[in-house]
């Protein structure tokens, strides 16, 4: 089995070496793909130096300009499919996702035969550390809103710590994914749900970054709010057979 962790980066020089070393120190074998959007802080340079130490398992794709989280993951998904990876993971670079939980997400898909495993902040209460209450409430009620509009029984539809089986990413038409921020995460899960893949939420503790700067913006949040309605409308005119 080949496992790939995709980590999009933009100005993550303070975190990137530590997160890479943490992944390679796990008991399970993972390869890592960094998709860097032209970080001016030298993130890609750090990765290139680390490739000398991890030549066969650390990969770097550099893009020109800040093109968005969703397009970075789509780029990574296509890269992974071309190289026959079996399980493909989304994970942030800033340690808000604990790399040790990669092993639990992998076990849910590989051992329990789920197609998608979501690292969920809300499947067992609210497990978020260092967020202001306003952001916790915004995220939690966003989940309620998404479930209401889409009908997906997923407690953390905006979460970005995920394991996909190869089959899921082969079936979902990646070229037709429209959104780039929070709405991208919802759109991918909604597609997996509509194609009737087996989805499980694995409880995690989400810890807000302590180094670097958050990429969250009002534009990204608005995209999610209005995007959910558009997704639901589009879904009524599509076939989801596989």
């Amino acid at each position: 089995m080949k496992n790939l962790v995709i980590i999009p980066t933009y100005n993550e020089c303070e975190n990137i070496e530590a997160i890479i070393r943490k992944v390679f120190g796990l008991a399970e074998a993972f390869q890592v793909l960094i998709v860097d959007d032209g970080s001016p802080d030298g993130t890609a340079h750090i990765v290139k130096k680390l490739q000398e130490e991890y030549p066969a398992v650390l990969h770097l794709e550099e893009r020109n300009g800040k093109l968005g989280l969703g397009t970075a993951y789509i780029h990574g998904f296509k890269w992974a499919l071309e190289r026959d990876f079996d399980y493909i993971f989304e994970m942030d670079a800033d340690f808000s996702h604990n790399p040790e939980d990669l092993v639990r997400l992998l076990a849910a898909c590989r051992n329990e035969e789920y197609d998608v495993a979501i690292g969920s902040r809300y499947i067992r209460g609210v497990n978020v550390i260092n967020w202001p209450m306003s952001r916790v409430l915004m995220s939690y009620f966003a989940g309620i809103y998404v479930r209401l509009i889409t009908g997906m029984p997923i407690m953390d539809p905006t979460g970005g710590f995920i394991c996909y089986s190869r089959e899921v990413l082969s079936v979902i038409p990646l070229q037709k994914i429209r959104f780039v921020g929070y709405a991208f995460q919802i759109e991918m899960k909604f597609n997996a749900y509509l194609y009737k893949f087996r989805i499980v939420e694995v409880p995690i503790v989400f810890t807000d970054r302590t180094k670097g700067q958050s990429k969250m913006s009002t534009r990204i949040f608005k995209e999610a709010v209005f995007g959910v309605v558009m997704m639901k409308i589009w879904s009524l005119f599509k076939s989801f057979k596989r």
Side-chain angles (χ1 to χ4, degrees):
M1 292 290 180
K2 292 172 63 179
N3 311 311
L4 181 70
V5 181
I6 302 171
I7 305 177
T9 56
Y10 183 77
N11 286 349
E12 292 290 355
C13 68
E14 296 173 288
N15 295 303
I16 195 61
E17 180 172 353
I19 199 83
I20 288 170
R21 292 190 183 280
K22 185 69 174 178
V23 173
F24 289 142
L26 297 172
E28 292 280 0
F30 296 92
Q31 296 189 39
V32 174
L33 170 65
I34 305 299
V35 181
D36 186 71
D37 275 6
S39 298
D41 71 347
T43 298
H45 177 72
I46 296 171
V47 176
K48 289 175 184 176
K49 292 294 292 182
L50 287 170
Q51 283 182 306
E52 298 173 7
E53 188 174 343
Y54 305 105
V57 292
L58 177 58
H59 314 281
L60 173 65
E61 289 285 289
E62 294 184 83
R63 306 195 302 169
N64 294 321
K66 194 175 178 183
L67 303 177
L69 181 76
T71 64
Y73 276 127
I74 295 296
H75 184 99
F77 293 160
K78 292 179 178 178
W79 190 96
L81 292 174
E82 289 169 1
R83 290 159 180 80
D84 297 323
F85 282 92
D86 299 288
Y87 296 104
I88 299 99
F89 299 76
E90 295 184 13
M91 190 176 75
D92 290 348
D94 60 7
F95 283 96
S96 56
H97 302 143
N98 184 347
E100 293 180 5
D101 288 329
L102 288 167
V103 176
R104 298 170 59 230
L105 295 179
L106 175 61
C109 287
R110 185 185 61 193
N111 302 343
E112 300 176 37
E113 299 184 344
Y114 285 98
D115 302 301
V116 181
I118 301 166
S120 178
R121 298 164 290 185
Y122 305 121
I123 193 66
R124 292 183 182 171
V126 177
N127 292 293
V128 177
I129 297 174
N130 293 339
W131 264 8
M133 184 55 66
S134 59
R135 190 166 177 186
V136 172
L137 291 173
M138 180 179 72
S139 175
Y140 184 79
F141 284 106
I144 295 174
Y145 170 73
V146 172
R147 289 193 296 278
L148 179 65
I149 299 297
T150 65
M152 283 194 298
I154 295 174
M155 290 299 295
D156 195 357
T158 63
F161 194 18
I162 306 165
C163 174
Y164 291 104
S165 71
R166 176 184 179 82
E167 183 183 3
V168 174
L169 299 182
S170 298
V171 168
I172 292 175
L174 299 177
Q175 72 280 4
K176 295 183 179 179
I177 298 297
R178 294 171 170 84
F179 297 106
V180 298
Y182 263 20
F184 164 80
Q185 302 293 5
I186 301 165
E187 188 175 9
M188 286 295 298
K189 296 180 185 73
F190 192 35
N191 271 270
Y193 169 73
L194 291 171
Y195 278 108
K196 294 182 168 50
F197 284 108
R198 296 185 69 224
I199 302 172
V200 66
E201 291 187 82
V202 177
I204 63 163
V205 175
F206 178 97
T207 305
D208 196 20
R209 67 164 65 234
T210 58
K211 296 179 180 179
Q213 188 173 3
S214 173
K215 312 306 186 294
M216 172 56 71
S217 69
T218 303
R219 180 185 61 80
I220 290 173
F221 180 70
K222 286 181 178 178
E223 178 195 67
V225 171
F226 296 107
V228 172
V229 177
M230 297 306 299
M231 286 176 219
K232 180 62 178 179
I233 294 171
W234 291 330
S235 73
L236 300 175
F237 301 95
K238 291 182 181 179
S239 173
F240 293 91
K241 294 180 180 180
R242 56 183 173 103

